[in-house]
Amino acid sequence: MFSPARIKLYVWLSLASQILIVVTGGAVRLTASGLGCPTWPKCTEDSITNVPEQGIHGFIEFANRLLTFVLILIALLTFIAIVRSGKAKRKGMVWPSFSLGLGIIAQAIIGGISVLTNLNPWVVGLHFIVSSVLISIASILVWRFYKPEHQPVPYSVYLLTPWIALSGIVALVVGVVVTGAGPHAGDANSPRNGLDLEIWQHLHSYPGYLSIALTFVTLLLLVRVNKLNAVSLSTKITFWLFIALAAQAIIGIAQSRMGVPPILVGLHMLGASVIASLLTFQWLSVRARS
């Protein structure tokens, strides 16, 4: 169980589970189950688990809480297996694995505060921001497991990459504000942030479009360099980042014009999680040292 031979499995489980809990957390909110367990750390004043009287909403919210323990177990297995591996093999992997464990605990506390504040949209938004950071850390962990050799890129690509990351981060943060202004509060009685949804949807789109344009230009520059050689890892990652960003834009436009249906909101959250990971991989493939 703690064998270093299992590190490959554990680092991928760490990344997949961090994305999964964003999706399940979105399902809790989109099914109006955010207060299915109306208190924290217990589910009710008298019970640690959900009770039949709470119905499906209590079951959904409590199931999401249980998933936190799965993430902690994965983080613990990952950390111990890495520590037990050789010094050369674990180089650069100890702090990300340890940070994941601390981050999961922090997430549980933030989730509890969101319940105690009646799903305050700013606290719920912080919940997603921290998840994005943990997805990024898990991506670093995967990268450092494989330790791919750094492949030179054009200097223009090196200069563009920070702007791709910055525009992507801004789009994610503004998207949190848009979510707080939208109709899916997680419970019928939970507050919204009071901002104009239509205006903030437009503000959210601008850094999104910018990140798509910058990624496309970067991809063209990389393809031109790779024309006579094997396709580099940075080119492959940039290609998939462009595809993810374009798909995310299409879903965003569709959900805006269709009145923000829950299924599209859920796909948008999944897309945001995948993009957080790909932004990290793209940065590492261009600017990380060997």
Side-chain angles (χ1 to χ4, degrees):
M1 184 176 291
F2 301 126
S3 169
R6 295 181 181 269
I7 293 177
K8 179 179 179 180
L9 170 64
Y10 292 155
V11 296
W12 279 111
L13 280 177
S14 295
L15 178 55
S17 61
Q18 290 298 334
I19 294 174
L20 175 63
I21 201 164
V22 172
V23 175
T24 59
V28 170
R29 182 168 60 84
L30 295 170
T31 57
S33 302
L35 293 178
C37 289
T39 187
W40 185 86
K42 292 183 177 181
C43 189
T44 71
E45 293 292 340
D46 304 314
S47 175
I48 261 219
T49 65
N50 61 302
V51 295
E53 289 76 15
Q54 292 171 294
I56 187 64
H57 296 306
F59 176 81
I60 292 173
E61 165 63 3
F62 185 70
N64 191 59
R65 291 189 182 190
L66 287 180
L67 188 57
T68 299
F69 294 99
V70 176
L71 265 66
I72 290 175
L73 176 60
I74 292 171
L76 184 62
L77 291 172
T78 305
F79 178 72
I80 294 175
I82 287 171
V83 169
R84 292 188 62 194
S85 64
K87 187 175 181 180
K89 189 171 184 178
R90 69 170 179 256
K91 184 178 180 181
M93 298 178 68
V94 175
W95 80 259
S97 60
F98 183 71
S99 300
L100 276 179
L102 292 181
I104 293 165
I105 295 171
Q107 276 291 68
I109 295 171
I110 295 170
I113 294 171
S114 71
V115 170
L116 297 176
T117 57
N118 196 31
L119 303 182
N120 180 289
W122 300 108
V123 179
V124 174
L126 176 62
H127 208 34
F128 177 75
I129 294 296
V130 174
S131 281
S132 299
V133 173
L134 293 179
I135 288 170
S136 183
I137 292 173
S139 301
I140 292 172
L141 194 57
V142 170
W143 183 270
R144 290 186 175 173
F145 169 78
Y146 286 98
K147 296 179 176 62
E149 182 180 349
H150 179 70
Q151 299 167 312
V153 297
Y155 188 58
S156 53
V157 170
Y158 186 84
L159 293 177
L160 280 172
T161 293
W163 294 103
I164 292 174
L166 180 61
S167 59
I169 291 169
V170 171
L172 286 171
V173 172
V174 178
V176 168
V177 179
V178 173
T179 299
H184 303 292
D187 187 83
N189 298 315
S190 296
R192 301 282 73 202
N193 61 25
L195 299 174
D196 187 293
L197 177 60
E198 186 173 350
I199 290 175
W200 279 92
Q201 282 176 333
H202 286 295
L203 293 176
H204 173 49
S205 69
Y206 301 146
Y209 292 144
L210 178 60
S211 61
I212 292 173
L214 292 172
T215 304
F216 183 67
V217 171
T218 300
L219 181 60
L220 291 180
L221 292 168
L222 288 168
V223 168
R224 187 175 68 176
V225 170
N226 294 154
K227 193 175 295 182
L228 300 177
N229 304 305
V231 178
S232 67
L233 179 60
S234 56
T235 304
K236 294 175 183 177
I237 293 172
T238 303
F239 170 77
W240 286 112
L241 175 60
F242 173 72
I243 294 298
L245 288 168
Q248 185 77 332
I250 292 169
I251 293 171
I253 292 169
Q255 70 173 5
S256 175
R257 294 185 176 179
M258 297 172 65
V260 202
I263 184 65
L264 290 184
V265 176
L267 288 174
H268 209 53
M269 293 183 69
L270 173 60
S273 302
V274 171
I275 287 169
S277 178
L278 286 171
L279 283 172
T280 306
F281 284 132
Q282 203 274 337
W283 174 281
L284 291 169
S285 69
V286 171
R287 298 181 71 95
R289 296 178 181 179
S290 296

